[in-house]
Amino acid sequence: TASTPPSYKIIDGKLYRNSSECRHFSARCSGVEHYLLRAAPRMSRNVEFVINVADYPLVPETPLRPAPVMSFSKSDGRHRDVLYPTWSFSQGGPCLHPIYSNGIGDWNGTRQQLLAVAQAHPWSNKTDVAFFRGSRTSQERDAVVLLSLAKPELFDARYTKNQAYKSAADTLNLEPAPYVSLPEHCKYRYLINMRGVAASFRLRHILLCGSAVLHAVDKNSNWREFFYPAMRPWIHYVPLLPNLRDAEDKLLFLRANPDWAKRLAAEGAHFIDKHLRDSDVACYWLRLLRRFSRLLSYDATLRDNMRPV
């Protein structure tokens, strides 16, 4: 993990960064800077801010005055980080060899690809099971793999390898499954989303498939990205308990009500398609920085260790 999150300043419409930072996660920093550089010329006030490009949020929920650190994800009730759109909208997303050797990234291209694949796999042609493929980045995900072993006629879920894979114990003593690309997820009628280290990057992608997404949500510590609060359960996705004890009943409900499930799937895809475009992400960044700058009680100035991006 990065020892120190990178600090940035926008001075007179130009972006600067601490020159010694970002060496651990250079692609992630570049993914963030893609949008910061677009916002900088439109800033009317100078501003400085800290962006956490590691997976886990940094600011705990305490009675103390919170530190103004920006993170891509946080858990409600546990963290006070300010949410920003993850770097993977541009680059620095998860690297899954050999499918995504350079990371997911490039939201424009991925978005258009998923929309096209979704059209090629309409609801009537999708496989009628709930599907999940991913690595064991959280033990909470064990529930879906165990459910698949118990109910293979309803669930198709297996673990893949990740960078930390050491033995079959990392895949619940099962043979690691082959990686499945995001477009290949669109072949399935129901898709399951569960948190990983923090919030899962995949939610916005699988919603575009036009499949009904079953999204595990913990009301007491809900992991989310910046756009999650705009979505509505039972309209854009089906909420699941994090232990998935309700997953079988809810999947059976969807299968017994295919027209309703199809409409929910369409609403989820429509939400991402119309409200999470590249221009929407850029707009969020600009509004975030403008509002943040108004909270500063001083005028940000350059330090010797700051270099132009």
Side-chain angles (χ1 to χ4, degrees), residues 3-309:
S3 56
T4 304
S7 57
Y8 291 90
K9 294 191 179 190
I10 294 177
I11 307 293
D12 298 330
K14 295 182 180 179
L15 180 66
Y16 299 85
R17 187 188 72 213
N18 183 310
S19 60
S20 64
E21 295 168 353
C22 276
R23 58 186 178 273
H24 294 280
F25 292 126
S26 58
R28 295 184 179 189
C29 287
S30 296
V32 168
E33 291 161 7
H34 171 80
Y35 290 99
L36 296 181
L37 288 167
R38 290 165 65 175
R42 302 179 64 184
M43 292 292 294
S44 57
R45 296 188 61 185
N46 294 341
V47 62
E48 64 177 329
F49 46 96
V50 175
I51 293 184
N52 170 30
V53 291
D55 291 327
Y56 206 76
L58 297 177
V59 185
E61 178 75 39
T62 67
L64 301 177
R65 188 175 182 179
V69 175
M70 299 182 186
S71 295
F72 95 94
S73 169
K74 69 178 180 180
S75 174
D76 290 337
R78 294 173 59 189
H79 308 105
R80 288 194 178 186
D81 304 56
V82 178
L83 290 179
Y84 71 85
T86 177
W87 51 84
S88 68
F89 278 101
S90 174
Q91 59 178 293
C95 296
L96 303 176
H97 299 288
I99 300 174
Y100 301 110
S101 298
N102 297 316
I104 295 176
D106 184 22
W107 176 236
N108 271 333
T110 303
R111 179 173 162 273
Q112 294 302 322
Q113 181 187 26
L114 287 168
L115 288 170
V117 173
Q119 286 190 338
H121 295 281
W123 183 265
S124 59
N125 293 345
K126 292 178 185 287
T127 303
D128 194 37
V129 297
F131 184 79
F132 173 86
R133 285 294 183 278
S135 60
R136 197 177 184 228
T137 49
S138 169
Q139 291 185 3
E140 288 182 22
R141 291 180 168 185
D142 291 356
V144 68
V145 177
L146 295 174
L147 197 54
S148 176
L149 293 174
K151 300 285 183 177
E153 72 280 8
L154 297 177
F155 298 89
D156 181 351
R158 288 291 186 277
Y159 277 137
T160 59
K161 289 184 178 180
N162 63 12
Q163 296 93 327
Y165 180 85
K166 296 179 180 179
S167 68
D170 294 321
T171 50
L172 291 188
N173 294 313
L174 300 170
E175 185 70 20
Y179 294 122
V180 176
S181 70
L182 289 167
E184 288 180 280
H185 282 67
C186 298
K187 298 176 182 178
Y188 298 89
R189 192 166 287 174
Y190 315 100
L191 298 171
I192 295 178
N193 185 67
M194 303 187 73
R195 61 157 290 204
V197 176
S200 172
F201 284 153
R202 80 180 65 207
L203 182 57
R204 70 180 189 269
H205 298 88
I206 62 178
L207 280 166
L208 278 178
C209 279
S211 303
V213 172
L214 293 91
H215 174 44
V217 179
D218 186 340
K219 293 182 179 179
N220 296 320
S221 59
N222 183 23
W223 285 94
R224 62 183 175 95
E225 295 184 68
F226 79 102
F227 65 93
Y228 284 24
M231 297 189 300
R232 295 292 178 263
W234 297 108
I235 294 177
H236 302 115
Y237 64 89
V238 175
L240 295 179
L241 295 171
N243 58 20
L244 303 193
R245 289 182 181 176
D246 57 344
E248 181 179 353
D249 287 343
K250 288 180 176 176
L251 178 57
L252 291 174
F253 170 81
L254 293 173
R255 296 179 82 178
N257 297 273
D259 292 339
W260 186 90
K262 180 180 178 181
R263 286 196 299 271
L264 177 136
E267 286 291 335
H270 178 80
F271 174 86
I272 300 297
D273 183 33
K274 300 303 179 185
H275 301 294
L276 207 61
R277 300 161 297 181
D278 178 72
S279 59
D280 300 314
V281 177
C283 178
Y284 183 96
W285 265 114
L286 180 60
R287 294 183 65 182
L288 169 63
L289 293 173
R290 283 177 172 174
R291 293 184 66 179
F292 189 83
S293 70
R294 291 198 293 268
L295 297 175
L296 296 186
S297 59
Y298 60 93
D299 189 42
T301 57
L302 283 179
R303 298 194 303 268
D304 290 341
N305 63 342
M306 306 295 286
R307 296 290 182 269
V309 175

